[in-house]
Amino acid sequence: MKTLKWFKPVTSLVAAGILAVAISNSLAATDGTQSAAAVTIGAQFIDIQAQTEFQSAALRITGPDGYALSRQVTAEEGSYITADLLLDAEPQRFGGAAELQQRDYLPNGVYRYEVEFRAEDGAIKFSKGAFQVQDGIAYELQSETEEVKYDGSISGVQRPGMIGRVAGSVIDFVFPSAHALTNVDNILQIQDTADSGQSRIAFESGDGTTPPSNWWLFNQDGSMFFREFPSPGSGGVDHVSILAGGNVGIGTTTPQDQLHVNDGNGFQIRLTDGSMQTRLDTFAGRFAIYQANPSQFSINNNAPTNSLAINANGDAGFGAGNPSAALHVSRSNNSANVRVEDTGSGSPQVMFQLLNNGFPQFNMQDTSQTNVNWSFRLSGTAGSTERFTITKVGTGQAEFELFANGDATFRGDVTANGVLLTSTREAKTDFRALDERDVLDRLASLEISQWRYKHEDEDTVHFGPVAEEFREVFGLSDGKRLNMIDTNGIAFAAIKALNTENETLKADNRAIRAENQAIKDRLAALEQRLAE
């Protein structure tokens, strides 16, 4: 079918006329919003006075070079939020440094702020804006867009009235391609010819009276915002923002990091793989990672610095930013404590284990003093020299050893209120008669001398034999140490031998006394006869 020469100019005239009617019947956007706060920008500070009732408020500022500042206040603290833009800025990592560093200057550029006011009933209001810093001095920007409410039309994009919409529908029916933009080659460009720092694309659905949702893709001074107008007469809600520099915000227009998610009721990021799902969540002042139960792993918002750190070696630190062991617990307030607790009723139960392919060991050290360091370890060969050893680190010898058969060795003195030696007949066997007199004679041959141990002070004095001679005389003990059972037994036997000897002497003495008495009696009788 041939196209009539007059068709194109006619349709253009018709379209122009309809557009004129549409513009004349359009509704302009109005801004009846009362600001939630009065904001003052000083040379190096921001001062905000709330103009709405609130229970808590949060200030967030983002700017060039990763700048971020956050403040939280409650209604009890007053209606003002004041922040020093430099001193209150969040520390940052500069030049790849591992540690956070405080800023010493404000970088030049545009800074964005938002204040979130949360009422007691959960209602949320925002106050948003921007300011600029030049040579360390902050000043207000006058080109920031005022808050817009959607009332059935979109500011800057005129919506046709009833006549325009009917005419447009007729053209769409007769000439389907008259309104539809079906193809854009390479670039769709929207220019800010008014130099207002703003450009936008409006996405509208519904008939303008009760729309399901209407959206703007909004470019402001190089930052992009996805703004929703949920109903006529409502203010726009910025759901997603992308700032110049790349920071992305969900629920905030001032993202302070590469991805910043904000929701006053807590937020969730959900990762799913088929039936498996993992969630990152903030709630009740905690950050949690979990799959089923929110208490699987969580960190309280007020947890101190380095509450949990894992280094490149897999070492985990609790309170230690650079852990030096597989598990490193560090505190500086006398609260370091490891507690293992089981509320079940099982008993006995293993609560602490040290397992090693070799001798396990643990140390205790008083770092406030020099050379106060003790080691507790296992050593020896199973079935023979296996033992538990306590050693003062640096002495090169064991201060205490406990062997598998129950033997114990102490390097120093043992002080006790009493020592109980097993001596029941039920524990003994292989009884034999003992020549107590022979024991006494051997004991009499044993050298008893005065001496002191080499490690003792010079004024220390002991009496007794040496183990080598004791072994030579009695054949008991090991020639290095004296067994108290042996020494006690020898003492008992010698005492008994002396007692036997004493009883014999006493009997002999009684006989001698009787004999002497008889002689005395006979002498007395003889003297009496002589006297007569």
Side-chain angles (χ1 to χ4, degrees):
M1 184 178 74
K2 293 184 179 180
T3 303
L4 300 178
K5 294 182 180 179
W6 49 266
F7 178 80
K8 185 173 181 179
V10 170
T11 54
S12 298
L13 290 173
V14 172
I18 294 174
L19 179 59
V21 174
I23 293 175
S24 66
N25 286 278
S26 64
L27 298 175
T30 59
D31 184 358
T33 304
Q34 181 180 3
S35 177
V39 180
T40 301
I41 303 297
Q44 199 168 303
F45 71 89
I46 182 171
D47 186 78
I48 299 168
Q49 182 181 13
Q51 296 181 338
T52 183
E53 297 292 330
F54 69 95
Q55 186 179 42
S56 62
L59 165 66
R60 291 181 288 270
I61 304 176
T62 184
D65 194 25
Y67 178 93
L69 184 151
S70 300
R71 292 289 301 273
Q72 290 80 33
V73 300
T74 62
E76 289 76 11
E77 299 176 64
S79 61
Y80 283 89
I81 307 174
T82 301
D84 187 298
L85 296 176
L86 184 60
L87 298 181
D88 293 332
E90 295 180 3
Q92 299 287 326
R93 288 184 176 86
F94 299 104
E99 301 297 328
L100 296 176
Q101 302 176 30
Q102 194 66 40
R103 290 184 176 275
D104 55 8
Y105 71 97
L106 293 175
N108 292 337
V110 175
Y111 292 66
R112 297 189 179 278
Y113 68 84
E114 70 176 1
V115 190
E116 177 182 325
F117 296 98
R118 177 173 294 274
E120 188 173 359
D121 61 0
I124 301 176
K125 292 184 178 180
F126 287 92
S127 182
K128 308 175 185 180
F131 58 91
Q132 185 157 345
V133 170
Q134 184 65 39
D135 298 329
I137 305 299
Y139 58 90
E140 296 183 15
L141 282 178
Q142 303 299 325
S143 63
E144 278 298 305
T145 301
E146 298 179 347
E147 185 175 359
V148 177
K149 283 189 176 182
Y150 178 80
D151 59 359
S153 66
I154 299 178
S155 176
V157 179
Q158 302 298 329
R159 176 179 175 83
M162 181 60 68
I163 297 176
R165 292 200 297 273
V166 171
S169 297
V170 172
I171 291 178
D172 284 341
F173 178 76
V174 178
F175 309 109
S177 63
H179 284 169
L181 181 62
T182 59
N183 182 44
V184 176
D185 187 13
N186 295 331
I187 297 175
L188 173 61
Q189 182 172 358
I190 300 175
Q191 295 183 334
D192 176 18
T193 57
D195 292 332
S196 64
Q198 306 165 13
S199 59
R200 61 194 87 160
I201 299 176
F203 301 90
E204 185 177 358
S205 60
D207 59 4
T209 304
T210 56
S213 188
N214 293 275
W215 288 78
W216 281 5
L217 175 57
F218 185 65
N219 177 8
Q220 180 173 310
D221 296 322
S223 297
M224 298 294 295
F225 303 92
F226 291 83
R227 180 174 298 177
E228 179 191 14
F229 296 89
S231 62
S234 66
V237 178
D238 292 313
H239 291 286
V240 180
S241 58
I242 306 175
L243 298 191
N247 283 6
V248 177
I250 300 177
T252 176
T253 59
T254 57
Q256 297 172 318
D257 291 289
Q258 290 174 307
L259 176 61
H260 183 165
V261 182
N262 173 65
D263 188 334
N265 296 317
F267 76 87
Q268 285 190 353
I269 297 177
R270 185 174 304 216
L271 309 174
T272 60
D273 178 12
S275 60
M276 180 69 70
Q277 63 178 3
T278 300
R279 283 174 278 186
L280 284 69
D281 200 354
T282 60
F283 63 97
R286 294 185 295 171
F287 169 72
I289 301 176
Y290 61 95
Q291 291 182 333
N293 187 333
S295 298
Q296 285 176 316
F297 175 81
S298 63
I299 300 177
N300 191 282
N301 183 54
N302 295 319
T305 302
N306 295 323
S307 293
L308 172 61
I310 302 177
N311 64 19
N313 296 325
D315 297 339
F318 292 85
N322 186 22
S324 58
L327 177 60
H328 187 167
V329 178
S330 177
R331 294 286 179 88
S332 59
N333 58 355
N334 298 320
S335 65
N337 181 30
V338 177
R339 178 175 178 175
V340 180
E341 181 178 3
D342 191 325
T343 58
S345 58
S347 178
Q349 178 176 334
V350 177
M351 302 289 288
F352 180 71
Q353 293 188 71
L354 294 177
L355 307 177
N356 183 43
N357 187 21
F359 301 138
Q361 173 178 320
F362 69 92
N363 286 17
M364 294 195 305
Q365 181 177 3
D366 180 359
T367 57
S368 69
Q369 303 184 64
T370 302
N371 196 29
V372 182
N373 190 0
W374 287 76
S375 167
F376 299 78
R377 62 187 175 89
L378 297 183
S379 59
T381 303
S384 58
T385 59
E386 175 187 352
R387 60 194 180 275
F388 171 70
T389 303
I390 300 178
T391 301
K392 179 176 174 60
V393 176
T395 63
Q397 54 188 330
E399 275 63 39
F400 168 77
E401 290 183 304
L402 177 63
F403 293 83
N405 62 0
D407 291 348
T409 300
F410 294 86
R411 179 170 175 261
D413 297 336
V414 176
T415 302
N417 292 329
V419 179
L420 300 179
L421 302 177
T422 301
S423 191
T424 175
R425 182 175 293 272
E426 296 177 354
K428 299 178 180 181
T429 188
D430 199 14
F431 290 94
R432 299 178 186 180
L434 182 65
D435 186 345
E436 298 159 356
R437 182 65 205 188
D438 179 64
V439 173
L440 179 59
D441 291 342
R442 294 187 191 186
L443 180 59
S445 69
L446 184 65
E447 180 183 354
I448 306 297
S449 58
Q450 174 180 312
W451 50 269
R452 65 180 177 86
Y453 288 113
K454 293 180 179 180
H455 67 274
E456 292 181 320
D457 295 335
E458 293 184 358
D459 57 352
T460 303
V461 176
H462 300 292
F463 297 147
V466 294
E468 292 86 351
E469 293 182 8
F470 187 87
R471 173 74 177 177
E472 182 180 346
V473 171
F474 293 103
L476 300 176
S477 297
D478 61 4
K480 294 293 183 180
R481 297 163 296 186
L482 294 181
N483 191 319
M484 291 183 62
I485 295 178
D486 296 335
T487 57
N488 288 349
I490 289 172
F492 289 151
I495 292 171
K496 190 174 181 181
L498 289 173
N499 180 67
T500 300
E501 182 177 327
N502 186 52
E503 291 297 328
T504 300
L505 292 174
K506 288 167 64 177
D508 292 345
N509 190 41
R510 285 193 298 270
I512 293 173
R513 286 182 179 179
E515 184 178 350
N516 289 340
Q517 186 64 42
I519 293 174
K520 288 181 180 180
D521 292 343
R522 288 171 63 188
L523 181 60
L526 181 60
E527 290 177 348
Q528 185 175 2
R529 288 178 185 177
L530 292 176
E532 292 177 354

